[in-house]
Amino acid sequence: LPEYAFIGRSNVGKSSLINMLMERKHLAKTSGRPGKTQLINHFKINKNWFLVDLPGYGYARVSKKDKKVFQKYITEYFVKRKQLVCAFVLVDIRHEPQPIDVEFMEWLGTNGIPFAIIFTKADKLKPGAIVNHVNTYLRILLEGAWAEAPPHFVTSSSKHMGRDALLSYIGEINNGFYTN
Ligand code: GDP
């Protein structure tokens, strides 16, 4: 089944977003690989796709050794998962592009892994400021070596915003996916 990965800095709002996307009645939690369930969780949604919850990166209080272990799992996941359709990189809508996020997106691009950006916590901005912040973020991003802006979505888990757009995108890019 096709997989869609969700990843971002710790505290970006990933758990809240995943909770918003999931309807518990359709949900079956499965462990991707034994022994790694705390690091990478797979959630089966509507019986036809997997939401993959990857560990947050950039933990301030995690040791260097643990960071390496996280990176290893994340890298391994991306390199090996043939089912992966898209990686959603979560960023806080209030922040400028952070080096760790930009590096990660560059890494995805270099490795040919399709990704999209999810701007979280949009309720923290006034409606009129949202478009400005998104455009500023993308403009700064494009000043790097980016050919074009990645697909992007604006969400707020506390205001239940952006869910439909995200789910229909997932449905769209799911078309044409074949399992063997
Ligand atoms: P994670 O570490 O990325 O899984 O982040 P969490 O989902 O645990 O959220 C981190 C903090 O941000 C918590 O205090 C949440 O209540 C808050 N948060 C998450 N999503 C939103 C949102 O859409 N709006 C607001 N205002 N706060 C949010």
Side-chain angles (χ1 to χ4, degrees):
L1 289 180
E3 295 185 358
Y4 302 81
F6 290 75
I7 191 165
R9 306 174 82 194
S10 153
N11 217 40
V12 72
K14 182 164 58 73
S15 311
S16 307
L17 181 88
I18 288 174
N19 284 334
M20 175 174 80
L21 289 179
M22 291 189 315
E23 285 178 2
R24 300 211 167 261
K25 57 185 165 155
H26 295 307
L27 178 73
K29 187 175 164 183
T30 68
S31 61
R33 307 163 91 188
K36 294 184 184 174
T37 48
Q38 287 146 317
L39 279 173
I40 299 182
N41 289 309
H42 285 59
F43 300 95
K44 196 173 188 179
I45 313 243
N46 293 331
K47 297 202 175 88
N48 58 11
W49 61 279
F50 277 110
L51 186 160
V52 182
D53 182 9
L54 295 174
Y57 50 73
Y59 285 92
R61 292 197 204 92
V62 162
S63 71
K64 274 212 169 106
K65 186 167 165 260
D66 284 350
K67 268 184 198 161
K68 281 244 159 71
V69 172
F70 278 29
Q71 272 168 8
K72 184 172 161 274
Y73 283 131
I74 293 171
T75 310
E76 223 178 71
Y77 171 80
F78 281 114
V79 172
K80 289 190 183 157
R81 298 308 284 209
K82 299 279 175 268
Q83 303 96 315
L84 181 71
V85 176
C86 180
F88 291 101
V89 182
L90 279 63
V91 300
D92 188 316
I93 196 166
R94 295 166 297 174
H95 300 158
E96 285 191 357
Q98 303 292 301
I100 192 167
D101 294 321
V102 175
E103 273 168 33
F104 183 62
M105 292 183 218
E106 275 166 1
W107 183 84
L108 289 171
T110 306
N111 286 277
I113 298 158
F115 69 94
I117 299 177
I118 297 179
F119 293 96
T120 63
K121 308 191 187 182
D123 59 283
K124 299 248 191 189
L125 295 181
K126 292 193 174 119
I130 291 176
V131 175
N132 278 342
H133 276 245
V134 169
N135 287 342
T136 304
Y137 191 101
L138 296 175
R139 186 172 44 73
I140 296 173
L141 205 58
L142 290 170
E143 280 166 6
W146 299 80
E148 56 181 308
H152 49 275
F153 301 89
V154 175
T155 65
S156 161
S157 306
S158 53
K159 291 273 155 67
H160 211 82
M161 191 183 135
R163 183 178 186 272
D164 291 350
L166 204 47
L167 288 178
S168 40
Y169 180 71
I170 285 171
E172 272 170 41
I173 56 176
N174 178 4
N175 291 344
F177 183 90
Y178 300 102
T179 46
N180 50 17

